[in-house]
Amino acid sequence: MYSNKVMDMLKVQVNKEFYAAYLYLDMANFYADKNLDGFANWFYVQAQEELDHAMLISKYLLNNGIRPELEAIAKPDKEFKELIDPLEAALEHEKYVTKCIHEIYDAAMAEKDYRSKQLLDWFVLEQNEEEANADSLLQKMKMIGSGGQVFILDAQLAQRKHEPPSFDFD
Ligand code: MG
């Protein structure tokens, strides 16, 4: 048995994951516009991961006989000036998503929704990785500043490839 309250929160989370994808696409466009195609690639891959998250939760809802409701996705409204700005914003956003996941986790525990807790266990660890990745990139950029080494980092970030999530439904 699942908790309706938890399922409703997961429905909202689907939209938040789509929004995150939108936000990262906007960041990718910011860098692509500056011919930093490696940074853009890193954020395109990041956006694909967010779509994976949205689809994972959607599949889980469907497996429980619940149809996800696709809502309008808000316009990304963050202003970026310096090259480091999206990196700061990305880490901040991942911390926000972690908070959202933990709130759903709290509800799953309170409602004894063990099935949803198992799904959320994966997301808790995934958020750990998301924050670590965003922080790592931010720290590298802080070391570099805005000098020519940006192009070395850009070349490294161009190597990132999208990988399917470590957990998925059949
Ligand atoms: Mg996500």
Side-chain angles (χ1 to χ4, degrees):
M1 284 300 293
Y2 60 75
S3 148
N4 286 323
K5 181 185 175 187
V6 173
M7 290 300 182
D8 285 345
M9 291 175 90
L10 286 171
K11 276 174 154 179
V12 173
Q13 190 61 32
V14 170
N15 183 273
K16 287 181 179 175
E17 299 293 342
F18 280 125
Y19 174 75
Y22 227 42
L23 190 63
Y24 290 141
L25 281 177
D26 189 48
M27 293 176 181
N29 290 341
F30 169 81
Y31 288 114
D33 185 49
K34 296 187 178 326
N35 297 311
L36 287 168
D37 293 337
F39 281 84
N41 174 65
W42 196 91
F43 276 103
Y44 283 133
V45 172
Q46 195 68 12
Q48 285 174 293
E49 284 197 359
E50 300 308 333
L51 294 180
D52 291 339
H53 297 163
M55 291 309 296
L56 265 175
I57 301 171
S58 296
K59 284 183 201 172
Y60 175 73
L61 290 166
L62 287 162
N63 280 352
N64 285 282
I66 298 166
R67 181 176 170 184
E69 290 164 36
L70 296 181
E71 307 287 350
I73 303 168
K75 177 180 176 168
D77 59 356
K78 290 190 194 301
E79 287 287 327
F80 308 124
K81 286 183 185 151
E82 307 298 327
L83 292 181
I84 202 166
D85 291 348
L87 307 182
E88 303 258 18
L91 177 59
E92 191 184 320
H93 190 73
E94 286 305 332
K95 286 181 177 172
Y96 163 73
V97 174
T98 297
K99 189 169 149 281
C100 296
I101 295 290
H102 287 189
E103 281 170 6
I104 309 174
Y105 201 101
D106 283 342
M109 296 294 280
E111 301 267 315
K112 297 189 191 300
D113 184 342
Y114 303 116
R115 192 181 290 177
S116 298
K117 181 195 156 294
Q118 287 248 297
L119 174 80
L120 290 161
D121 278 333
W122 184 85
F123 275 92
V124 169
L125 282 180
E126 175 69 8
Q127 280 311 119
N128 187 351
E129 199 178 311
E130 294 282 62
E131 281 186 36
N133 288 343
D135 190 48
S136 165
L137 187 50
L138 175 61
Q139 298 313 321
K140 281 177 192 158
M141 198 63 182
K142 278 183 179 169
M143 281 186 263
I144 287 174
S146 56
Q149 285 173 312
V150 167
F151 293 104
I152 298 172
L153 183 56
D154 189 61
Q156 282 179 7
L157 297 179
Q159 304 300 315
R160 186 180 188 196
K161 288 191 168 48
H162 174 247
E163 286 173 18
S166 61
F167 160 78
D168 202 355
F169 296 101
D170 290 334

